[in-house]
Amino acid sequence: MVHHLHPRTSGLCSSVRKNPCLNSTPFYSTAGVPIRKRGPSRVKTLTREIGTPQDKGHRKRKLKARELCGEISKANNTGDLLGLFLDNEAIVNDIHLANLWNKLGKRRDATDPRHRQKIRHLLAHTVDLIETCGPRVLANIAHGVAKARLGTEKNGLLLKAIGKAAVTRGLDAFNPQELSNTVWAFATAHVHDGSLYEEVADEVVRRQLHGFTPQNISNIIWAFATAEVYDDRLYEAVAIEAVRQDLREFNPQNLANMVWAFATAGMHAEQLFEMVANEAM
């Protein structure tokens, strides 16, 4: 039995900065004709605020697909990453998108107002190409988007598209890491997708967690508890596999996440809890 509780979503707010106004105080020429003193140049003001295409954050370079992969990997700031995308949008493919979102997630400044319009453009382009993405790319994009912390509304548009693509095709081609990263991303971004969670639970139970690492197991059960999706079969399978592995290779964070998930879901796993307690002693 699967129970879904929808997490709260938060609204987005924006602020508008007032533009400089012209000084209205008149001056007079020697002929007595009033001359209005002009304020700072609007072009110069905009240049200071958002930069010019020649600035470091915006490279005007047309690249080949393989070159673009290399440049994305070498880029060390968000402005460069978004500039590379905009200048080469016509050739940006699924691999480029996975790399871009992975790098943006690590930068953690994609929410800076300076990048707002470019991020929206990248989100729209990514949604357009989702149907061309395989399991690895879908999981990597989801993971990067969640780490970028763009907000529930923006994350939701893209993650819902990823969830739909994954469920439509089926999850049999997803490896344990990809399943783990995908549900972790949805839970972290507070985006609820009941169909995706059901499909992941079915797939994990079907495989009986064979080939899943402690990190994979910990992340999956943490994601389900965080999203308040409680599937008895999944929790039972996780408890059985963790006990079978004798908690080998489970680090303190893995154990803490797993115990928290079971406690949050109100699921009892006495043998697992006893083993965890012994590990802590």
Side-chain angles (χ1 to χ4, degrees):
M1 185 67 178
V2 184
H3 309 285
H4 305 291
L5 297 179
H6 295 259
R8 294 178 180 177
T9 58
S10 57
L12 297 175
C13 61
S14 59
S15 59
V16 180
R17 187 194 304 179
K18 293 183 178 179
N19 294 326
C21 297
L22 296 177
N23 191 325
S24 60
T25 303
F27 284 77
Y28 292 86
S29 69
T30 55
V33 179
I35 301 174
R36 188 175 298 277
K37 183 179 178 181
R38 301 176 66 88
S41 165
R42 183 62 181 146
V43 173
K44 291 182 179 179
T45 301
L46 283 172
T47 299
R48 286 196 299 270
E49 291 178 355
I50 64 174
T52 64
Q54 289 74 35
D55 288 338
K56 182 179 179 181
H58 188 91
R59 299 177 179 177
K60 280 292 185 181
R61 289 188 59 194
K62 298 295 183 181
L63 304 169
K64 295 180 180 179
R66 183 173 296 181
E67 293 174 328
L68 181 57
C69 284
E71 290 299 317
I72 292 172
S73 297
K74 291 189 294 184
N76 58 13
N77 66 68
T78 299
D80 282 352
L81 289 166
L82 294 173
L84 284 167
F85 161 66
L86 290 174
D87 290 343
N88 299 277
E89 182 178 3
I91 65 165
V92 169
N93 59 32
D94 58 335
I95 303 301
H96 299 136
L97 290 173
N99 201 357
L100 278 166
W101 284 112
N102 177 53
K103 294 291 293 283
L104 287 170
K106 291 177 179 178
R107 294 295 307 172
R108 301 291 183 92
D109 66 343
T111 55
D112 190 310
R114 295 174 302 169
H115 307 313
R116 186 175 299 148
Q117 292 301 323
K118 295 176 183 178
I119 286 292
R120 286 177 178 170
H121 197 70
L122 176 58
L123 282 167
H125 187 86
T126 307
V127 170
D128 287 343
L129 289 184
I130 282 300
E131 292 300 324
T132 70
C133 300
R136 181 179 180 182
V137 170
L138 289 175
N140 286 346
I141 291 175
H143 192 262
V145 169
K147 289 182 71 176
R149 303 187 184 281
L150 301 176
T152 304
E153 183 179 336
K154 291 180 182 177
N155 280 339
L157 293 173
L158 178 50
L159 289 176
K160 287 284 188 178
I162 290 173
K164 181 180 179 181
V167 169
T168 300
R169 299 177 198 171
L171 302 179
D172 56 309
F174 282 69
N175 66 33
Q177 183 69 48
E178 291 157 2
L179 289 173
S180 170
N181 282 353
T182 301
V183 290
W184 177 91
F186 275 73
T188 299
H190 304 293
V191 174
H192 188 82
D193 189 326
S195 296
L196 176 69
Y197 280 105
E198 282 192 46
E199 288 292 326
V200 170
D202 288 346
E203 188 64 24
V204 170
V205 170
R206 184 182 71 79
R207 299 186 197 183
Q208 288 298 297
L209 291 153
H210 293 159
F212 287 71
T213 67
Q215 185 71 53
N216 299 153
I217 295 171
S218 169
N219 283 352
I220 288 173
I221 206 65
W222 173 89
F224 272 74
T226 298
E228 299 180 328
V229 179
Y230 307 133
D231 186 308
D232 297 350
R233 303 166 307 146
L234 176 67
Y235 283 83
E236 182 181 358
V238 166
I240 290 172
E241 180 60 17
V243 169
R244 188 191 71 78
Q245 292 187 18
D246 197 26
L247 300 184
R248 295 185 304 273
E249 307 301 324
F250 279 78
N251 62 36
Q253 188 64 59
N254 299 152
L255 294 175
N257 286 349
M258 193 161 54
V259 170
W260 175 85
F262 275 82
T264 298
M267 300 290 181
H268 299 287
E270 293 182 9
Q271 188 176 3
L272 173 62
F273 287 169
E274 183 178 342
M275 291 182 67
V276 172
N278 290 336
E279 283 287 319
M281 295 177 62

